[in-house]
């Protein structure tokens, strides 16, 4: 008995399904993770999902037009389960369309919520179908079809007519993260010479695409505004805030701070040096006051050869009914090519919102216990 005369080995069906499950899960995790994916990663995921939806449609078409008619003809007892497969494919169709529409919106810069919802709807109808197909239909296929016949259907409906580029992409997508046996099964679908070409000719392209989708671009947070309400008079808070060297009393990161260049207080142009600590790392930055007026202080980190970036920081106070709203914000005004290095060495800087809010709570607490300068003067 030749390999072709043996009962059909349907493992490629399981491998295709595993790749679909894998990337649906990856997409959901990436799209809902914190910090959220940046625009470049969102666009890459949206493009990949669009490609995957086309692949899934073609996969179902190959089953509807190639595989299942043969099983129907040979196994009249399989009619009921094949009808369920057909109904499943019909139910999956609109869910694919919704993912495509939502992915197009995200690729154009739109909101992620609709795409996550569309992926969830697709998973609801697709995942049970994949399971049913593997458990209930593939044993029937193996029982009524030789491997040669299975392979001929694969060849006609899934391989013929596709460019080398398409086959290379699909092949690498299928074997991404696949165990060795599954990898060998996929590579065995094409003759040795073509296999080598696909394996080595398109690997880098697939890896680039996978990296763009699933490896977050390492960035530090670019802007942030956070605030708390302090149970303290605005002048009591301002007395602390207007002196940036007192930041060490409430900051989670700045551990030393002193005026430099003869400055003794906040005025435009006055400079101070802050010493920071985050995990094992310590670094210092020279800062310059840009403006100061009740109740707003603005300063920037001064670019240097070692630290070529610059961030503008603002502390703003607003008297409110039950105390003082303290608002802190920053925005990166000058970026650097070293940003991925910063984001790697200082992962806390990828999303600083929670830490900065905790700082403001500490500041609020200190202010609450501080002597109100106005009352003290009276
Ligand atoms: Fe399938
Ligand atoms: Fe199917």
């Amino acid at each position: 008995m030749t390999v072709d005369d043996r009962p059909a080995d349907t493992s490629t069906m399981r491998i295709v399904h595993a790749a679909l499950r894998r990337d649906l899960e990856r997409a959901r995790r990436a799209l809902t993770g914190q910090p959220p994916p940046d625009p470049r990663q969102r666009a890459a995921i949206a493009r990949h999902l669009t490609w995957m939806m086309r692949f899934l449609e073609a996969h179902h078409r190959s089953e509807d037009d190639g595989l299942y008619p043969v099983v129907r003809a040979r196994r009249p007892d399989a009619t009921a389960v094949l009808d369920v497969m057909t109904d499943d494919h019909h139910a999956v169709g609109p869910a694919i369309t919704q993912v495509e529409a939502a992915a197009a919106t995200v690729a154009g810069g739109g909101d992620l919520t609709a795409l996550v919802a569309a992926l969830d709807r697709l998973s609801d109808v697709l995942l049970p179908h994949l399971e049913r197909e593997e458990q209930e239909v593939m044993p029937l296929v193996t029982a009524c079809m030789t491997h040669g016949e299975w392979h001929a259907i694969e060849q006609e409906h899934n391989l013929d007519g596709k460019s080398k580029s398409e086959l290379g992409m699909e092949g690498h997508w299928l074997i991404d993260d696949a165990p060795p046996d599954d990898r060998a099964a996929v590579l065995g679908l094409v003759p040795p010479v073509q296999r080598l070409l696909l394996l080595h000719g398109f690997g880098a392209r697939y890896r680039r695409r996978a990296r763009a989708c699933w490896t977050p671009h390492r960035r530090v947070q670019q802007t942030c505004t956070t605030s708390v309400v302090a149970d303290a008079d605005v002048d009591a808070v301002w007395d602390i805030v207007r002196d940036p060297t007192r930041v060490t009393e409430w900051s989670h990161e700045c551990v030393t701070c002193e005026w430099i260049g003869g400055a003794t207080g906040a005025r435009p142009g006055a400079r101070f040096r802050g010493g920071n600590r985050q995990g094992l790392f310590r670094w210092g930055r020279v800062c310059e006051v840009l403006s100061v007026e009740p109740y707003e202080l603005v300063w920037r980190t001064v670019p240097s050869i070692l630290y070529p970036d610059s961030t503008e920081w603002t502390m703003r106070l607003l008297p409110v009914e039950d105390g003082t709203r303290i608002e802190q914000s920053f925005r990166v005004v000058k970026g650097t090519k070293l940003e991925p290095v910063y984001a790697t060495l200082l992962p806390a800087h990828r999303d600083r919102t929670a830490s900065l809010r905790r700082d403001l709570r500490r500041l609020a607490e200190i202010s609450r216990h501080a002597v109100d300068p106005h009352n003290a003067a009276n």
Side-chain angles (χ1 to χ4, degrees):
M1 186 187 274
T2 67
V3 170
D4 277 1
D5 295 332
R6 287 179 189 165
D9 173 358
T10 62
S11 54
T12 48
M13 181 66 78
R14 180 181 48 73
I15 295 166
V16 166
H17 290 184
L20 289 165
R21 288 187 186 102
R22 180 200 67 213
D23 278 8
L24 281 175
E25 194 187 317
R26 281 176 173 173
R28 200 184 194 291
R29 202 182 320 130
L31 295 172
T32 58
Q34 286 298 327
D38 68 11
R40 203 160 55 167
Q41 188 183 4
R42 290 173 191 212
I45 293 172
R47 276 196 302 275
H48 179 61
L49 287 174
T50 304
W51 173 87
M52 199 166 93
M53 293 305 102
R54 274 191 230 118
F55 177 91
L56 176 56
E57 278 174 324
H59 175 70
H60 283 177
R61 221 170 20 250
S62 79
E63 292 170 347
D64 291 336
D65 300 347
L67 182 62
Y68 291 155
V70 178
V71 183
R72 250 180 218 285
R74 294 182 184 179
R75 292 290 300 255
D77 58 321
T79 301
V81 71
L82 290 174
D83 285 347
V84 172
M85 292 302 105
T86 305
D87 290 347
D88 282 354
H89 287 185
H90 285 149
V92 169
I96 290 176
T97 307
Q98 286 175 346
V99 170
E100 287 173 327
T105 305
V106 167
D111 184 45
L112 294 178
T113 320
L115 181 53
V116 173
L119 285 174
D120 286 346
R121 273 194 297 274
L122 175 64
S123 296
D124 285 347
V125 285
L126 179 65
L127 299 184
H129 166 68
L130 302 182
E131 187 71 20
R132 262 195 294 274
E133 199 161 58
E134 290 169 22
Q135 297 299 322
E136 297 175 33
V137 185
M138 288 309 108
L140 293 169
V141 172
T142 302
C144 76
M145 200 177 276
T146 67
H147 193 66
E149 290 170 323
W150 166 269
H151 188 66
I153 291 172
E154 287 256 50
Q155 185 70 41
E156 180 186 343
H157 292 272
N158 293 324
L159 301 174
D160 286 351
K162 285 185 178 164
S163 67
K164 289 197 171 46
S165 163
E166 273 177 281
L167 291 175
M169 176 63 205
E170 287 182 8
H172 281 283
W173 177 70
L174 290 173
I175 63 176
D176 179 356
D177 265 3
D181 285 355
D182 289 355
R183 185 182 163 89
V186 172
L187 295 177
L189 291 173
V190 288
V193 174
Q194 201 180 352
R195 186 185 315 158
L196 273 177
L197 180 74
L198 294 177
L199 200 52
H200 298 291
F202 296 95
R205 184 169 143 240
Y206 175 75
R207 283 192 293 277
R208 264 199 310 278
R209 179 200 276 213
R211 237 188 344 263
C213 289
W214 315 127
T215 308
H217 178 53
R218 302 217 157 172
R219 301 208 66 187
V220 296
Q221 193 173 5
Q222 301 292 298
T223 62
C224 170
T225 298
T226 185
S227 67
V228 301
V229 172
D231 179 16
D233 180 80
V234 67
D235 288 302
V237 186
W238 179 243
D239 199 43
I240 300 170
V241 166
R242 70 179 175 183
D243 181 355
T245 63
R246 291 188 67 180
V247 71
T248 54
E249 295 174 34
W250 49 272
S251 166
H252 68 286
E253 189 170 272
C254 184
V255 289
T256 61
C257 198
E258 57 183 1
W259 292 109
I260 56 174
T264 53
R267 64 176 189 285
R271 289 189 168 195
F272 56 96
R273 189 196 320 274
N276 303 312
R277 185 180 61 203
Q278 183 65 254
L280 295 172
F281 293 95
R282 286 170 179 270
W283 71 102
R285 292 296 302 253
V286 171
C287 301
E288 181 180 65
V289 174
L290 296 177
S291 66
V292 55
E293 58 188 44
Y295 296 104
E296 185 182 280
L297 173 70
V298 184
W299 75 93
R300 67 170 181 134
T301 50
V302 177
S304 63
I305 292 172
L306 195 56
Y307 303 110
D309 61 300
S310 181
T311 300
E312 192 175 288
W313 291 82
T314 301
M315 294 291 297
R316 190 175 291 127
L317 309 181
L318 183 72
V320 291
E321 195 180 335
D322 43 355
T324 301
R325 175 170 297 280
I326 312 174
E327 183 187 280
Q328 183 178 38
S329 60
F330 74 78
R331 65 189 179 101
V332 175
V333 291
K334 182 173 182 286
T336 166
K337 288 188 179 141
L338 293 174
E339 187 185 338
V341 179
Y342 291 178
T344 302
L345 295 178
L346 297 170
H349 280 204
R350 294 181 207 167
D351 186 355
R352 309 175 71 173
T353 314
S355 301
L356 294 177
R357 190 175 298 122
R358 281 194 292 273
D359 285 354
L360 294 190
R361 287 202 198 105
R362 265 189 297 276
L363 172 59
E365 196 57 22
I366 295 167
S367 305
R368 197 163 71 86
H369 296 295
V371 177
D372 182 331
H374 281 185
N375 290 341
N378 291 336

